Amino acid sequence: MQRKGKYFFNSESVSEGHPDKVCDQISDAVLDAVFTIDPMSRVACETFVARGLVIVGGEITTKAMLDIDQIVRDVVKDIGYTRPEYAFDSNSCAILNAIGRQSPDISQGVDTGGAGDQGIMFGYACRETDELMPLPIMLAHKLVKRLAEVRKSGQLSYLGPDGKSQVSVEYLDGRPVRVDTVVVSTQHGPEILDKTGNQITEKARKEIIDVVIRPVLGKRLIDDKTRFLINPTGKFVVGGPASDTGLTGRKIIVDTYGGRAPHGGGAFSGKDPTKVDRSACYMARYIAKNVVAAGLAEECTVQLAYAIGVAEPVGVYFDTHGTGAADELVIEAAVRKLFPLTPKGIIDTLKLRRPIYRQTAAYGHFGRTEKGFTWELTDKAVALREEVLGKGAKAKKALAVA
């Protein structure tokens, strides 16, 4: 049941230059490089970064020959770490390759079509945005993406690659009504510090608000009580791997629904789709989004559970949070009929053996409209609606809701 009264919900995102996201992008760039040559490869790649150092490790079984050094340098350069003053740059960083082969004990279960590991995976959708995603996480993603855009275009050339955003949205009876607080922490050059050397200038703060925040939030969500907190500590000159270590898979809430939905705990980046903690989360999102798009619920959470080496899920769970147009068991039966839930079925349906993954590794895996995000399609909505509610008047009524 949707919550009544007034409350606030917060979500955060991080930029593509955040140390953890640097690692996610390198791991997924390795996966893409492998899939470009050998789509049947098995990949479990993790990356660690620190000041001047990148370590790429994991287990990869493939026919492809990889130039890990070049893959890493290309990603780091594309993100924007190209200046010596960042104390981490694409030309001089040291790279250690610690990749081995996948354990044959795991392979024997996966080769027969079973799941690559046990685990629980969640998908979620709601009607708060056009993307059928929670509003706070979508705004947080758009803010850090905007930071990257104005940095790379030169509009705000003093910005650096590292950054974070956080958005607090006020809700009334389950509906978002306004943005209460926006936090943006962005790496920058020393040229925008004031005379104390410890604070950015008011001019720079205003520029970030006007050029980054206002275009994303628009006028409808902002009022005279909305707070803008820009670099609350004062300055953020030293950033990226020079200021903090990074590791693949540490931003799982940023990657998904900003804390609005449960999370099974498995990370995505660097994993081929036989690993259900990636592919089954994509399928769960695909299902939840089609349920909401079909007008069968205002909000939907899907859980899938798998055992290693077993193809069919050991558990399927639906929750429409009191907004369903039909019983969850009826929706589940329709989903099982229309959506394949084995690892092979998921991979084939969503076309996951393609080099599409680097783009997922920053700005969230869900709510995306770019090519390749097949789990964001709503192409099953009509069939799902008709399966649950039948054709004719009931189906037309559901379509009107959708």
Side-chain angles (χ1 to χ4, degrees), residues 122-278:
F122 288 93
Y124 178 79
C126 65
R127 288 208 166 275
E128 288 182 16
T129 65
D130 292 341
E131 300 89 352
L132 302 187
M133 286 283 287
L135 180 62
I137 188 63
M138 290 306 300
L139 292 177
H141 285 325
K142 290 176 181 179
L143 285 170
V144 288
K145 193 170 186 179
R146 178 69 178 165
L147 280 175
E149 289 171 354
V150 299
R151 168 175 61 90
K152 291 180 177 181
S153 71
Q155 188 174 1
L156 295 183
S157 59
Y158 53 75
L159 296 182
D162 198 358
K164 285 186 173 183
S165 67
Q166 185 170 295
V167 180
S168 176
V169 175
E170 180 181 328
Y171 287 77
L172 183 61
D173 296 333
R175 305 291 181 184
V177 294
R178 59 181 290 272
V179 170
D180 183 71
T181 305
V182 179
V183 183
V184 170
S185 296
T186 178
Q187 185 182 11
H188 59 84
E191 63 268 30
I192 63 166
L193 293 174
D194 63 14
K195 293 180 180 179
T196 70
N198 294 315
Q199 299 282 332
I200 63 172
T201 64
E202 286 303 316
K203 177 178 181 293
R205 278 197 175 89
K206 187 176 186 305
E207 278 185 331
I208 293 169
I209 291 170
D210 291 344
V211 175
V212 176
I213 297 177
R214 291 188 184 279
V216 169
L217 269 61
K219 295 181 179 180
R220 186 180 67 83
L221 293 171
I222 300 174
D223 58 26
D224 56 3
K225 295 182 180 179
T226 300
R227 294 189 300 164
F228 303 111
L229 303 178
I230 312 301
N231 285 20
T233 63
K235 67 176 182 179
F236 187 179
V237 174
V238 180
S243 66
D244 195 6
T245 59
L247 188 66
T248 298
R250 282 204 300 206
K251 287 293 176 282
I252 58 177
I253 298 302
V254 170
D255 284 343
T256 53
Y257 306 100
R260 270 285 291 276
H263 198 298
F268 298 157
S269 290
K271 297 178 182 178
D272 76 80
T274 66
K275 281 75 171 174
V276 285
D277 46 5
R278 180 171 212 161

Side-chain angles (χ1 to χ4, degrees), residues 37-195:
I37 299 168
D38 181 7
M40 300 306 293
S41 299
R42 300 278 168 72
V43 180
C45 178
E46 298 190 30
T47 305
F48 169 85
V49 298
R51 178 186 288 264
L53 175 65
V54 180
I55 301 175
V56 182
E59 299 77 43
I60 299 179
T61 303
T62 182
K63 299 175 183 177
M65 297 294 291
L66 300 178
D67 187 344
I68 296 296
D69 187 276
Q70 192 61 53
I71 293 170
V72 171
R73 295 191 192 282
D74 286 347
V75 171
V76 174
K77 179 180 179 181
D78 186 55
I79 291 169
Y81 287 111
T82 56
R83 293 157 55 179
E85 55 263 40
Y86 291 143
F88 180 83
D89 75 86
S90 59
N91 290 320
S92 63
C93 62
I95 300 170
L96 176 61
N97 183 349
I99 293 174
R101 291 179 65 85
Q102 185 185 54
S103 165
D105 294 348
I106 296 175
S107 297
Q108 68 180 9
V110 179
D111 289 343
T112 58
D117 201 355
Q118 71 176 51
I120 55 175
M121 298 84 200
F122 288 93
Y124 178 79
C126 65
R127 288 208 166 275
E128 288 182 16
T129 65
D130 292 341
E131 300 89 352
L132 302 187
M133 286 283 287
L135 180 62
I137 188 63
M138 290 306 300
L139 292 177
H141 285 325
K142 290 176 181 179
L143 285 170
V144 288
K145 193 170 186 179
R146 178 69 178 165
L147 280 175
E149 289 171 354
V150 299
R151 168 175 61 90
K152 291 180 177 181
S153 71
Q155 188 174 1
L156 295 183
S157 59
Y158 53 75
L159 296 182
D162 198 358
K164 285 186 173 183
S165 67
Q166 185 170 295
V167 180
S168 176
V169 175
E170 180 181 328
Y171 287 77
L172 183 61
D173 296 333
R175 305 291 181 184
V177 294
R178 59 181 290 272
V179 170
D180 183 71
T181 305
V182 179
V183 183
V184 170
S185 296
T186 178
Q187 185 182 11
H188 59 84
E191 63 268 30
I192 63 166
L193 293 174
D194 63 14
K195 293 180 180 179

